Amino acid sequence: MVCIDTLDGLGVIGDAEGTSPRSYDFNRDGAKELAAIRAFAATASYVEKLALCRDAQYTFIFAKDYDHDVQLFVAEMLDSMGLAVEAGRVRGM
């Protein structure tokens, strides 16, 4: 069951822990504002972080020479979540 929608239409499957999961809005919250992304991630649940990663990729934040700092932050976040393979893929984009 999809517990949080993503911009690509796929969503994230998981447990929303009885709450309504939040999404980071790259249009409103600032696509390249690393401080805002860090602040969101600091309080985000596991599924919210997964949605953040997918939406960042969908909005082309990881496109070559767009925003390397955000790309590295997302890779570090994935590492901290135990997703080393995915983190490596993000670093390699």
Side-chain angles (χ1 to χ4, degrees), residues 7-58:
L7 296 173
D8 60 8
L10 295 174
V12 174
I13 295 173
D15 183 11
E17 303 158 5
T19 63
S20 180
R22 307 169 295 138
S23 294
Y24 184 85
D25 185 340
F26 283 93
N27 292 319
R28 187 191 73 221
D29 297 333
K32 293 177 68 173
E33 293 180 28
L34 183 57
I37 294 170
R38 281 186 189 275
F40 176 87
T43 61
S45 69
Y46 188 82
V47 294
E48 290 169 339
K49 288 177 183 178
L50 290 176
L52 171 71
C53 295
R54 183 172 290 159
D55 287 346
Q57 185 174 9
Y58 185 78

Side-chain angles (χ1 to χ4, degrees), residues 2-3 6 26 34 39-40 43 61 64 67 70 88:
V2 173
C3 70
T6 54
F26 283 93
L34 183 57
F40 176 87
T43 61
I61 266 191
K64 188 175 180 169
D67 198 328
V70 173

